[in-house]
């Protein structure tokens, strides 16, 4: 049995296939309004391998000059982010354990060779409310550890429809995506993996 760090909850198969399809439709509508863009690492300007967009009143963005932050507008179009689809709010209510509403949903798209290095989600002013993460499409190898870099980590697969909650003691757990397993899902017509993370930004 895999033991997850305290406060880290993995809910396999939270969304059945019809719900996954409905959510993909909602994400397609978001991306049509707020296109995926290539985020840059702070200072170096190195492009990340994932492509990103957001929905909600705030979105997480990063570029060379201004680094990691939340803002109300898409960095390329300058337009406000599209609203959070109702289904995301439903999922949030079901698993977050919070009465607050999320302001931001970061949408990450991983092609076959994309990954995400170990990091903490700590750009929110609210570091108590849980972060809720939803996986769609190809599977990935997810890694999660404790609150300090360099500590012990555990790895497991996230499949389409799985939800991960980083709450309580797990809110600041280091986590990342080591690899994508291409062609492991038929959900997205052109393959790849979508990850949606719901975040409360303001306390
Ligand atoms: O893709 C994932 O499962 C994790 C994404 C993530 O950690 C993030 O966007 O902060
Ligand atoms: Fe994260």
């Amino acid at each position: 049995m895999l033991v997850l760090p305290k406060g880290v909850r993995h809910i396999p198969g939270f969304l059945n296939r019809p719900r996954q399809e409905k959510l993909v439709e909602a994400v397609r509508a978001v991306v049509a309004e707020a296109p995926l863009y290539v985020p840059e690492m702070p200072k170096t300007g190195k492009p990340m391998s994932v492509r990103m967009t957001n929905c909600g009143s705030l979105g997480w963005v990063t570029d060379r000059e201004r680094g990691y932050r939340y803002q109300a507008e898409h960095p390329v179009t300058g337009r406000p982010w599209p609203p959070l689809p109702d289904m995301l709010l439903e999922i949030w209510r079901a698993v977050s354990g919070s009465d607050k509403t999320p302001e931001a949903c970061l949408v990450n798209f991983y092609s076959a060779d994309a990954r995400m290095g170990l990091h903490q989600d700590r750009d929110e002013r609210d570091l108590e409310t849980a972060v809720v993460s939803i996986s769609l499409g190809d599977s990935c190898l997810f890694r999660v550890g404790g609150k300090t870099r360099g500590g012990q980590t555990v790895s497991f697969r996230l499949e389409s429809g799985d939800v991960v909650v980083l709450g309580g003691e797990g809110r600041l757990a280091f986590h990342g995506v080591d690899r994508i397993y291409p062609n492991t899902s038929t959900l997205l017509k052109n393959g790849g993996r979508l990850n949606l993370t719901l975040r409360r930004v303001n306390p």
Side-chain angles (χ1 to χ4, degrees):
M1 247 290 282
L2 189 76
V3 179
L4 299 183
K6 274 218 177 71
V8 177
R9 189 167 152 221
H10 176 207
I11 315 174
F14 183 80
L15 298 175
N16 63 18
R17 177 74 184 214
R19 301 263 291 159
Q20 294 172 39
E21 286 169 2
K22 191 175 165 215
L23 188 51
V24 169
E25 282 319 300
V27 174
R28 285 196 198 291
V30 164
V31 170
E33 167 71 24
L36 291 163
Y37 77 99
V38 179
E40 301 170 346
M41 297 297 286
K43 298 192 177 78
T44 62
K46 186 174 182 287
M48 293 177 71
S49 58
V50 294
R51 292 190 291 152
M52 291 184 176
T53 188
N54 289 269
C55 52
S57 56
L58 291 172
W60 187 88
V61 298
T62 173
D63 57 28
R64 182 166 60 85
E65 296 78 15
R66 297 176 59 200
Y68 302 155
R69 64 196 186 272
Y70 282 91
Q71 64 181 42
E73 305 83 25
H74 191 291
V76 178
T77 67
R79 289 199 299 264
W81 304 106
L84 283 175
D86 286 341
M87 197 173 157
L88 289 180
L89 294 172
E90 274 172 42
I91 297 168
W92 172 269
R93 282 193 291 267
V95 302
S96 71
S98 173
D99 293 333
K100 298 174 181 168
T101 52
E103 290 121 319
C105 176
L106 173 62
V107 177
N108 293 132
F109 177 76
Y110 296 77
S111 55
D113 54 3
R115 53 185 291 284
M116 190 176 286
L118 271 186
H119 66 278
Q120 294 170 296
D121 289 1
R122 57 176 315 148
D123 300 315
E124 302 71 35
R125 293 208 298 132
D126 181 337
L127 293 176
E128 319 239 293
T129 303
V131 170
V132 171
S133 156
I134 305 159
S135 295
L136 294 169
D138 285 337
S139 308
C140 77
L141 184 62
F142 186 74
R143 181 199 290 266
V144 63
K147 286 182 215 174
T148 50
R149 188 180 285 284
Q152 199 187 341
T153 62
V154 292
S155 297
F156 58 97
R157 261 172 97 121
L158 287 179
E159 320 266 359
S160 194
D162 288 9
V163 166
V164 172
V165 183
L166 301 180
E169 284 188 57
R171 174 61 181 80
L172 289 175
F174 274 86
H175 60 280
V177 171
D178 287 344
R179 63 161 297 190
I180 300 296
Y181 297 101
N183 308 115
T184 48
S185 165
T186 56
L187 186 70
L188 305 178
K189 281 170 218 32
N190 298 118
R193 172 175 183 265
L194 277 170
N195 174 262
L196 314 174
T197 49
L198 293 161
R199 293 113 181 266
R200 176 74 195 185
V201 180
N202 292 120

